[in-house]
Amino acid sequence: MTRTFPSDFLWGSATASYQIEGAVAEGGRTPSIWDTYSHTPGRTLNGDTGDVADDHYHRWQADIALMQQLGLQAYRFSISWSRVQPGGRGPLNPEGVAFYRGLLDALIRAGIKPVVTLYHWDLPQELEDAGGWPNRETAYAFADYARLMAREFGDKVTVWTTLNEPWCSAYLGYASGVHAPGRTEPAAALAAVHHLNLGHGLAARAIREELGEDTQISITLNLHVIRPDDAGSPGDLDAVRRIDALANRVFLEPLLGEGYPADLRDDVEHVTDFGFLQDGDEELIAQRLDVLGVNYYSTTRVRAFAGQGEPEQADGHGNSSATPWVGTNGQVEFVQQPGPYTAMGWNIDATGMHELLMSLSARYPSLPMMITENGAAFHDVVSDDGAVHDLDRVRYLHDHIDAVGQAREDGADVRGYFVWSLLDNFEWGFGYERRFGVIRVDYDTLERTIKDSGWWYAGLIQTGQLPEIDPLASGVAPGR
Ligand code: FCB
């Protein structure tokens, strides 16, 4: 059966500022925590940094031309806070603002809807020096910055996304330390969770104060699809409950007006008394969400651990002796899952996409969703003909988009899909060794080449129908 999507389903692709822009010391930009972190020896694979990245800062016009070649209807990108507001406070930097204004205007001229993320992990370093996300003041600074962005770009942005994956900002940044700023302080990580939630609420309110109640607001979460190793084991089911609370419900429930989960507060009682939660905060966090951004890559499998030695930690979130799973005290084990795997070592399981969308839609039936990231890293090869025949990626995208289509048919209100990523780029701690793009970037020449997956995706956008998997056989390679 051919999977068909309606004409108003939004097809796009996503990137993030630090991963593609480069030009880190140009145009008045000041360092973010990712500049500091990536320049700290031993933090990233091969010592890679975002100094040059894809040089998108200088090549954005050509990149928009590539988006047009793919026929993208929307482009999700993030604003570098320290480029538009150096240091994270005070007046805006006109050069930084001009860069994004040029980008937004050109996208609109090209008929591509801008979906703007205000924060994709690159906190201005000065704000980290003042305490970072564990400091409540950061939430207020974020809301001020959001208000200024709304004032500058208000009429140009289709959807405002406050935060990308606050789970990563809080737990990988402040608990396991595999992301910037690289701290390993469990209590601080939970304070960061709260201040990210609060920052979202304050920012959403500020944007609507500037632009009116109709302004479309979203947040993007990396929700975990958590499965018990043994569905008949009460211990394993309790491990699922704990991880669901830390990973998913700690964001979803306050965002959607239910406050923080009581069981989570009990679970982490020995880490924090939630003293950071002030009267009125939960109301502030629960601003109306027009659409929930869902990022999905793979599944998670857990079981209760009562054994000897170290529990297995195959959670896909990097290597650190400090766990991101605050308060679990080694009682939960993350079990290696069956393959196949992507180059990230993440298991490929498109049923998780369907399961996630159906469980969200059962729980929050009136909340529209958009897949703001989905995609895969593989070790791409450039063929003699200069093309990248990335059949693995085509297969991955096919199966996951098919799962989105199935979820829609089963009643989930999913309005769009953004492939991660438009371009190969700086994959955080994994540097340039992990390629997610549907467009290849040659890091020696910065030359771009649309991969077979890109042409395949272009065919899907053009027809609204999921093409055959084999991009060569299917003949959906317009222009190649
Ligand atoms: C997500 C991030 C994105 C990219 C993908 C692979 O967690 O939001 O920047 O790194 O993973």
Side-chain angles (χ1 to χ4, degrees):
M1 189 196 74
T2 312
R3 184 80 66 195
T4 305
F5 290 81
S7 57
D8 61 352
F9 190 83
L10 201 59
W11 295 105
S13 184
T15 64
S17 48
Y18 190 69
Q19 296 182 275
I20 63 163
E21 284 181 7
V24 291
E26 279 181 57
R29 181 186 181 279
T30 56
S32 75
I33 54 176
W34 267 98
D35 295 88
T36 310
Y37 186 82
S38 65
H39 278 271
T40 305
R43 289 301 204 179
T44 65
L45 193 60
N46 303 320
D48 288 346
T49 73
D51 286 4
V52 177
D54 293 341
D55 195 33
H56 171 75
Y57 184 74
H58 296 116
R59 294 166 192 254
W60 59 273
Q61 279 149 315
D63 288 340
I64 292 181
L66 288 165
M67 293 179 213
Q68 286 182 286
Q69 268 188 279
L70 296 181
L72 293 192
Q73 299 166 347
Y75 174 49
R76 171 180 184 249
F77 67 96
S78 78
I79 294 178
S80 158
W81 186 349
S82 67
R83 192 180 285 294
V84 292
Q85 191 183 32
R89 290 181 199 277
L92 293 182
N93 164 31
E95 250 189 285
V97 171
F99 170 70
Y100 292 108
R101 175 165 295 121
L103 180 68
L104 285 161
D105 285 339
L107 286 168
I108 292 164
R109 275 199 305 275
I112 300 169
K113 292 190 162 75
V115 172
V116 172
T117 303
L118 287 168
Y119 185 74
H120 200 123
W121 306 352
D122 42 0
L123 188 71
Q125 182 60 43
E126 287 82 348
L127 294 183
E128 173 57 28
D129 295 342
W133 285 109
N135 177 1
R136 188 176 173 93
E137 289 304 312
T138 301
Y140 295 110
F142 177 66
D144 290 344
Y145 150 67
R147 181 185 298 282
L148 294 175
M149 292 301 98
R151 254 179 222 163
E152 290 294 333
F153 304 134
D155 54 332
K156 303 182 196 295
V157 174
T158 303
V159 177
W160 293 89
T161 302
T162 54
L163 304 172
N164 176 70
E165 300 190 355
W167 186 91
C168 295
S169 301
Y171 296 114
L172 300 183
Y174 294 95
S176 69
V178 300
H179 277 187
R183 284 160 62 181
T184 49
E185 302 161 34
L190 287 169
V193 165
H194 177 58
H195 297 138
L196 284 153
N197 280 334
L198 181 64
H200 159 82
L202 292 166
R205 190 178 67 173
I207 294 168
R208 289 216 177 92
E209 277 169 11
E210 291 298 320
L211 302 176
E213 272 308 303
D214 294 344
T215 313
Q216 296 286 300
I217 303 277
S218 75
I219 183 169
T220 280
L221 302 177
N222 57 320
L223 296 164
H224 286 63
V225 176
I226 309 153
R227 292 163 173 174
D229 197 36
D230 173 359
S233 150
D236 289 8
L237 292 175
D238 195 55
V240 171
R241 178 198 62 73
R242 287 182 80 131
I243 299 306
D244 182 42
L246 272 173
N248 301 333
R249 289 186 283 122
V250 74
F251 298 106
L252 281 174
E253 294 190 5
L255 286 168
L256 293 158
E258 300 165 299
Y260 284 102
D263 61 326
L264 168 81
R265 293 182 62 164
D266 290 346
D267 289 343
V268 299
E269 201 177 41
H270 57 291
V271 180
T272 177
D273 62 2
F274 263 62
F276 44 71
L277 179 61
Q278 298 186 8
D279 281 353
D281 283 1
E282 286 170 323
E283 288 71 30
L284 271 172
I285 294 168
Q287 302 294 319
R288 191 188 84 239
L289 268 187
D290 297 295
V291 57
L292 176 68
V294 175
N295 290 358
Y296 174 80
Y297 290 93
S298 62
T299 60
T300 304
R301 184 173 290 265
V302 298
R303 68 174 167 231
F305 182 70
Q308 303 287 311
E310 288 298 307
E312 198 176 340
Q313 281 300 336
D315 64 0
H317 293 302
N319 278 331
S320 169
S321 52
T323 179
W325 302 104
V326 173
T328 51
N329 283 344
Q331 289 159 8
V332 177
E333 192 162 34
F334 291 80
V335 185
Q336 179 70 43
Q337 299 174 83
Y341 307 101
T342 68
M344 296 295 284
W346 297 344
N347 68 306
I348 302 175
D349 185 350
T351 67
M353 172 74 95
H354 181 262
E355 184 180 326
L356 176 60
L357 294 172
M358 294 319 294
S359 69
L360 285 166
S361 117
R363 180 110 196 248
Y364 304 107
S366 58
L367 179 63
M369 295 176 277
M370 213 150 68
I371 306 303
T372 41
E373 284 181 31
N374 173 243
F378 288 107
H379 297 297
D380 297 328
V381 176
V382 182
S383 297
D384 290 343
D385 60 0
V388 181
H389 302 302
D390 56 340
L391 196 52
D392 285 344
R393 186 172 291 103
V394 172
R395 196 171 285 127
Y396 180 99
L397 296 179
H398 175 280
D399 292 354
H400 286 76
I401 293 169
D402 194 38
V404 173
Q406 186 63 53
R408 283 177 45 86
E409 282 176 29
D410 294 342
D413 184 2
V414 190
R415 309 251 172 120
Y417 175 95
F418 291 69
V419 64
W420 184 273
S421 178
L422 180 69
L423 302 164
D424 290 339
N425 59 45
F426 175 76
E427 178 47 34
W428 311 111
F430 295 95
Y432 296 100
E433 276 215 352
R434 302 292 192 276
R435 293 175 176 273
F436 275 91
V438 293
I439 298 176
R440 179 180 175 84
V441 176
D442 177 325
Y443 292 117
D444 294 325
T445 62
L446 294 167
E447 197 187 319
R448 279 89 158 125
T449 307
I450 298 179
K451 302 178 190 176
D452 281 5
S453 57
W455 294 121
W456 177 89
Y457 191 54
L460 164 60
I461 298 173
Q462 213 171 61
T463 60
Q465 288 193 357
L466 198 58
E468 295 299 313
I469 287 184
D470 184 343
L472 298 175
S474 65
V476 292
R480 197 184 56 204

